[in-house]
Amino acid sequence: MFKKILVANRGEIACRVIKACKELGVKVVAIHSEIDKDCAHVRLADESICVGPGPASESYLNIPSIISAAEISGADAIHPGYGFLAENTYFAEVCESCGIKFIGPSKEAIDKMGDKIAARELMMKAGVPVVPGSDGPVSIDDPNIFKLAKKIGYPLIVKASAGGGGKGMRVVATEEALENAIAMAQTEAKAAFGDESVYIEKYIEEPRHIEFQILGDSKGKVVYLPERDCSIQRRHQKLVEESPSPFISAHLRRKMGRAARHAAEAVKYVTVGTVEFLVDKSGHYYFMEMNTRIQVEHPVTEVITGIDLVKEQIRLAAGERLTFDSGDVKILGHAIECRINAEDPDRDFIPSPGKVTQFIPPGGPGIRVETHVYPGYTIPSFYDSLIGKIIAMGSNRAEAIARMLRALDEMVIEGIKTTAPLHKKIMQHDYYHKGDVYTDFLPKHIFRGR
Ligand code: MV4
């Protein structure tokens, strides 16, 4: 096991990782920007080092400064959390060359999954279903492009190879719109990622977003855990996640879980990761992408399985073995997570930073809260607007919803606007109760006419 871990992150995830380190008996170093010196993660850690000014590019993304902090403090591993440097292969490489363990998969695994065209090809070889589409990149100069598009069938979607999270995507309804969509997607991709490669896929209408947590050890063993349903999103930002999915049968869970395991095995995956699928109305599932990090929504899986994913992640990075199989994992109940963002849902979700004048987190039976916020804390405008997560667990879905509503009512947070009132509307919605959740839920049921 490691002796000392540096946590290269801030906010709720830095706090979460520090708690795992403490339970493992590993010393932990926090890093922080100048404006973050009073943050909860700084107080929770055994020691802390300032790595630069407020802007993330000068602090939480400042690789030389972070590596220096690890060397000065004598850390033998770095946990990147999510966001910032978590999927940066260059950072993983620098850690390795400095003799510091990057707590995550190999840089090769990050690279392969970061390139969506390469990942598609690799998944096809591994027998994991992908959406029918082009083999490799497409361009408007390709004389066969219209034939290929016709064969795939309209509507189709143009995606950036370097994309993910919805950037550089375009839906194409008819042949007339194809050329223009490809050209625009290429321009967008070039500007956003410095790589203009785009590919096309059949467009799956009203899909569900279903993802599988996987864990892998350095002996090549991979296990999958029950799925998370992350269909309720706004502009590709997840808002509500739950596990298990109300839509997935035990049979489909096993089939998709095995596909997720094969996806991870294809890149010799070590530590924790997530395989995302699109699922259509008939239950056909298609590989979408793989996230090579711990994710925001990991707690819903933790509470329904009893597995501490962050501790497992650290143990696996340290070379320890997986001690269980997918078949050993029991689903202990139903869990829902609501992401609390410092945003104003009534004003198109504009960020709402500032001082939290009053904060009373919810608690009691079945409620877990992950947050770095305390009364008097000032939310800076430099970073992500996620300020906390409420996770409600019940013996069934109805109990989890009732507990979430009770927790949302109980929570007091003053001085800033948050997404909590929106979550109350979702939790009270008939279609949510029915489990009729898919990616168009918010525009269709909550924001209709706005
Ligand atoms: C799709 C799709 C339909 N068909 N691909 C959105 C994020 C990016 N990772 C891929 N995304 C989609 N890809 C095909 N072939 C619909 C989406 C999509 C979506 C997916 C999951 C959750 C929310 C979404 C919202 C809009 C579009």
Side-chain angles (χ1 to χ4, degrees), residues 27-58:
K27 288 268 173 279
V28 56
V29 189
I31 60 162
H32 64 89
S33 64
E34 284 165 12
I35 53 155
D36 269 358
K37 65 177 177 13
D38 295 325
C39 269
H41 73 283
V42 175
R43 265 192 261 179
L44 281 177
D46 297 304
E47 52 190 297
S48 64
I49 297 179
C50 180
V51 291
S57 60
E58 297 174 54

Side-chain angles (χ1 to χ4, degrees), residues 131-132 157 159 164-167 169 201-205 207-209 230-231 233 235-236 276-278 288-289 439-440:
V131 185
I157 185 166
K159 293 184 176 181
K167 266 203 199 125
M169 274 182 11
E201 278 182 355
K202 171 91 192 138
Y203 182 66
I204 311 294
E205 303 202 44
R208 280 178 171 75
H209 173 126
C230 308
S231 297
Q233 309 193 0
R235 302 209 178 138
H236 307 297
E276 299 184 341
F277 294 95
L278 287 171
M288 186 160 53
E289 42 194 81
T439 49
D440 296 358

